[in-house]
């Protein structure tokens, strides 16, 4: 058992570097950078010369991203809807 797992006072870091922040959200670095640049993810905080992302702000931004549209039609209905109108 690792020391962290056995320590009841351990907790995840609040600030994450760029690579860890992207990994935390399950994103590659280029997509992470794009989402930060266009404002869908928060900008980093500056701590001396380090730039770090607030994990809580990342969570909030991630929650506000749209869900993937779901198509709940049956396979038959999709086939009917795709036929040209006569």
């Amino acid at each position: 058992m690792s020391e962290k797992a056995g320590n009841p006072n351990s907790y995840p870091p609040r600030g994450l570097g760029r690579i860890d922040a992207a990994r935390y959200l399950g994103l590659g670095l280029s997509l992470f950078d794009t989402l930060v640049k266009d404002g869908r993810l928060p900008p980093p905080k500056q701590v001396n010369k380090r730039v770090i992302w607030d994990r809580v702000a990342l969570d909030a931004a991630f929650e506000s991203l749209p869900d993937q549209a779901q198509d709940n039609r049956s396979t038959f209905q999709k086939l009917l809807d795709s036929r040209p109108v006569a």
Side-chain angles (χ1 to χ4, degrees):
M1 183 160 78
S2 74
E3 186 176 315
K4 279 188 174 182
N7 183 350
N9 296 323
S10 67
Y11 48 87
R14 173 82 184 255
L16 302 169
R18 178 175 164 261
I19 293 170
D20 289 332
R23 185 179 300 132
Y24 177 71
L25 295 176
L27 303 173
L29 289 175
S30 65
L31 179 56
F32 179 80
D33 292 342
T34 298
L35 295 175
V36 170
K37 185 176 181 179
D38 70 17
R40 288 183 280 173
L41 290 179
K45 295 187 174 286
Q46 184 87 34
V47 179
N48 292 341
K49 293 191 179 208
R50 285 198 42 138
V51 291
I52 55 174
W53 276 262
D54 180 346
R55 182 177 43 83
V56 175
L58 289 172
D59 286 339
F62 187 80
E63 285 289 327
S64 71
L65 291 173
D67 293 332
Q68 182 178 13
Q70 293 185 349
D71 189 346
N72 294 324
R73 296 176 298 161
S74 69
T75 303
F76 180 70
Q77 187 62 51
K78 290 176 191 175
L79 178 64
L80 287 176
D81 291 345
S82 69
R83 296 178 57 204
V85 178

